[in-house]
């Protein structure tokens, strides 16, 4: 009997405790049910960190948990670094951060044109990156510029950077910003400025490297060399192709960066906008170098083509001069080769030596005349 009473009491206690626990779960603020661990091997996530007041918070964070924690702080934000993400992983991140599907599609594919677009409260930025490939000399197949992409999703409490290719690494940017707490404390747009500044500085370095290559090719084109003219022209064309690839990364970036620097996007804080204006000045320098190098290499190419044309004209003059000398031999031999009985000096003892001496004398006179005129 006592056991039955105890069982009945236990059942009543459990019945009353279930609604209480349910009500407690409803009243409490739910936290994302995600593991606080780093992504598995093979994930596109290079780094995921939570920053509060410019200080990186300790521990390993899942991006959903980090976003939930960042929204609890006014100065908190999440910085996720991705490299060449797959569509499935990018879709999961887009669902968590409420990213627009068009921007997500651009982030998965590379070779995007530089632009800045607004999707609701989020700003989407794409940039082409470039890296100078070291080489001993320009050849017909030299790779001078390696290009890639950097894309950024910038929101109130997050920034997501997506990198395609190895032309611009962002790990040094992150480590440098983490040493500058006063800059990092300004939020996601401070990170956006630092990434943009790194990309533009690399573009300036590439322009300087290409300028040295253009000077080297210019010296090769006009220096006396045993290499064929076709080979030297192919080197100029190869450098021209590499310069055009670099040009597609630099010139289209002017308009988007100007929009960030001039106040076209109100989301950019005033103090960060001043930094963007400085980056825009650096980009203007790179643009001037690219346009200058384009003009120089076009001039070198035209000069080389003119040089080839002059060389061909010189060769044709030499051929014509030797053909004129050979025509003397052909004409005289043709006359005396005719089968007539009554020909001048055919019965003369010195007729043959005299004709040969005449041919040699005329040929020597023509050779001397052509030498004086510069044809030979």
């Amino acid at each position: 009997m006592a056991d039955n009473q105890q069982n009945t009491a236990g059942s009543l206690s459990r019945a009353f405790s279930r609604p209480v626990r349910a009500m407690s779960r409803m009243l409490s603020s739910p936290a994302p049910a995600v593991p606080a661990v780093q992504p598995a091997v093979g994930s596109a996530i290079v780094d995921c960190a939570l920053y509060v007041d410019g200080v990186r918070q300790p521990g390993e964070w899942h991006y959903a948990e980090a976003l939930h924690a960042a929204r609890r702080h006014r100065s908190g934000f999440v910085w996720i670094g991705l490299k060449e993400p797959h569509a499935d992983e990018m879709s999961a991140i887009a669902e968590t951060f409420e990213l627009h599907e068009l921007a997500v599609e651009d982030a998965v594919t590379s070779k995007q044109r530089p632009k800045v677009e607004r999707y609701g409260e989020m700003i989407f930025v794409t940039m082409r990156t470039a890296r100078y490939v070291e080489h001993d000399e320009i050849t017909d197949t030299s790779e001078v510029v390696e290009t890639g992409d950097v894309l950024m999703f910038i929101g109130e409490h997050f920034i997501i950077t997506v990198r395609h290719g190895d032309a611009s690494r962002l790990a040094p940017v992150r480590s440098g910003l983490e040493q500058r707490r006063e800059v990092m404390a300004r939020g996601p747009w401070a990170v956006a400025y630092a990434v943009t500044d790194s990309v533009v500085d690399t573009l300036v370095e590439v322009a300087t490297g290409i300028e040295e290559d253009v000077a080297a090719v210019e010296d090769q084109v006009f220096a006396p060399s045993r290499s064929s003219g076709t080979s030297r022209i192919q080197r100029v064309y190869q450098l021209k192709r590499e310069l055009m690839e670099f040009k597609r990364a630099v010139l289209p970036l002017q308009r988007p960066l100007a929009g960030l620097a001039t106040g076209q996007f109100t989301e950019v804080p005033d103090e960060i906008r001043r930094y963007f204006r400085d980056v825009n000045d650096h980009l203007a320098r790179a643009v001037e170098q690219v346009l200058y190098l384009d003009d120089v290499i076009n001039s070198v190419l035209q000069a080389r083509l003119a040089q080839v044309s002059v060389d061909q004209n010189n060769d044709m003059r030499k051929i014509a001069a030797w053909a004129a000398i050979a025509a003397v031999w052909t004409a005289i031999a043709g006359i005396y080769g005719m089968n007539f009985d009554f020909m001048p000096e055919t019965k003369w003892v010195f007729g043959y030596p005299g004709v040969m001496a005449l041919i040699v004398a005329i040929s020597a006179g023509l050779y001397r005349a052509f030498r004086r005129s510069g044809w030979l």
Side-chain angles (χ1 to χ4, degrees):
M1 185 68 176
D3 294 338
N4 292 335
Q5 290 178 350
Q6 290 178 356
N7 293 336
T8 303
S11 300
L12 292 174
S13 175
R14 286 193 297 272
F16 281 108
S17 64
R18 289 170 185 169
V20 172
R21 287 198 300 268
M23 183 62 67
S24 299
R25 286 195 298 268
M26 293 175 61
L27 295 177
S28 61
S29 58
V34 291
V37 295
Q38 287 286 58
V41 176
S43 173
I45 300 178
V46 178
D47 197 356
C48 176
L50 170 65
Y51 298 90
V52 177
D53 294 328
V55 179
R56 179 167 181 159
Q57 301 304 296
E60 298 176 345
W61 295 86
H62 188 277
Y63 55 82
E65 185 183 29
L67 179 62
H68 181 76
R71 287 173 174 170
R72 295 200 300 263
H73 300 274
R74 183 177 180 182
S75 62
F77 71 93
V78 183
W79 181 1
I80 304 177
L82 305 174
K83 182 182 180 183
E84 299 175 0
H86 298 289
D88 295 338
E89 188 170 14
M90 196 66 203
S91 297
I93 295 175
E95 183 178 358
T96 301
F97 289 87
E98 300 179 356
L99 307 179
H100 197 277
E101 58 180 353
L102 295 179
V104 173
E105 182 181 356
D106 290 343
V108 174
T109 58
S110 59
K111 305 297 182 183
Q112 297 295 323
R113 182 178 177 84
K115 62 183 178 180
V116 178
E117 293 182 341
R118 179 188 287 108
Y119 293 98
E121 298 180 355
M122 184 205 71
I123 299 296
F124 179 59
V125 181
T126 65
M127 295 180 291
R128 295 290 304 277
T129 60
R131 183 179 70 88
Y132 182 75
V133 180
E134 296 292 340
H135 49 272
D136 295 332
E137 62 176 356
I138 295 294
T139 63
D140 300 349
T141 58
S142 294
E143 183 183 8
V144 178
V145 179
E146 177 186 353
T147 58
D149 298 90
V150 167
L151 308 93
M152 295 185 290
F153 298 88
I154 309 167
E156 183 179 1
H157 291 284
F158 68 88
I159 178 169
I160 303 173
T161 56
V162 182
R163 179 166 60 93
H164 290 272
D166 296 324
S168 182
R169 300 181 181 274
L170 301 183
V173 178
R174 185 187 290 264
S175 60
L177 278 176
E178 289 177 353
Q179 302 299 323
R180 302 170 62 190
R181 177 179 176 180
E182 70 283 357
V183 177
M184 186 68 87
R186 295 175 181 176
W189 279 105
V191 177
Y193 148 72
V195 172
T196 306
D197 184 53
S198 175
V199 170
V200 172
D201 286 345
T202 306
L203 295 179
V204 174
E205 294 175 1
V206 174
T208 303
I210 295 179
E211 187 173 6
E212 297 177 358
D213 288 333
V214 170
V217 167
E218 188 176 8
D219 293 338
Q220 292 177 4
V221 165
F222 296 106
S225 175
R226 294 182 179 180
S227 61
S228 63
T230 304
S231 176
R232 284 188 279 181
I233 288 179
Q234 288 176 348
R235 295 175 189 174
V236 179
Y237 270 122
Q238 178 64 20
L239 186 56
K240 174 70 174 177
R241 285 194 293 266
E242 294 294 313
L243 180 61
M244 291 301 297
E245 180 70 16
F246 179 60
K247 191 175 180 180
R248 284 193 290 268
V250 176
L251 297 188
L253 186 57
Q254 296 178 92
R255 186 173 180 180
L257 190 53
L260 295 174
T262 57
Q264 181 178 348
F265 296 91
T266 56
E267 293 83 355
V268 183
D270 293 339
E271 62 272 15
I272 300 299
R273 191 176 298 121
R274 289 194 290 267
Y275 288 97
F276 274 115
R277 283 198 292 267
D278 181 68
V279 177
N280 195 31
D281 292 339
H282 295 173
L283 179 64
R285 174 187 170 188
V287 170
E288 291 175 357
Q289 281 185 287
V290 168
L291 296 178
Y292 165 74
L293 294 175
D294 193 28
D295 290 340
V296 170
I297 201 167
N298 286 335
S299 300
V300 170
L301 184 59
Q302 293 176 0
R304 181 55 193 161
L305 293 175
Q307 191 179 46
V308 170
S309 179
V310 170
D311 292 341
Q312 291 176 345
N313 290 335
N314 291 333
D315 293 339
M316 291 302 298
R317 288 194 301 180
K318 291 179 180 179
I319 294 172
W322 285 113
I325 295 175
V328 175
W329 293 68
T330 304
I332 296 178
I335 292 174
Y336 279 89
M338 293 186 295
N339 297 322
F340 290 102
D341 293 335
F342 302 100
M343 290 286 293
E345 291 84 24
T346 55
K347 305 298 183 181
W348 187 35
V349 178
F350 300 102
Y352 177 76
V355 170
M356 294 301 296
L358 177 63
I359 293 175
V360 172
I362 296 175
S363 299
L366 289 175
Y367 179 80
R368 184 178 181 183
F370 286 138
R371 288 283 294 181
R372 286 184 175 181
S373 63
W375 282 46
L376 290 176

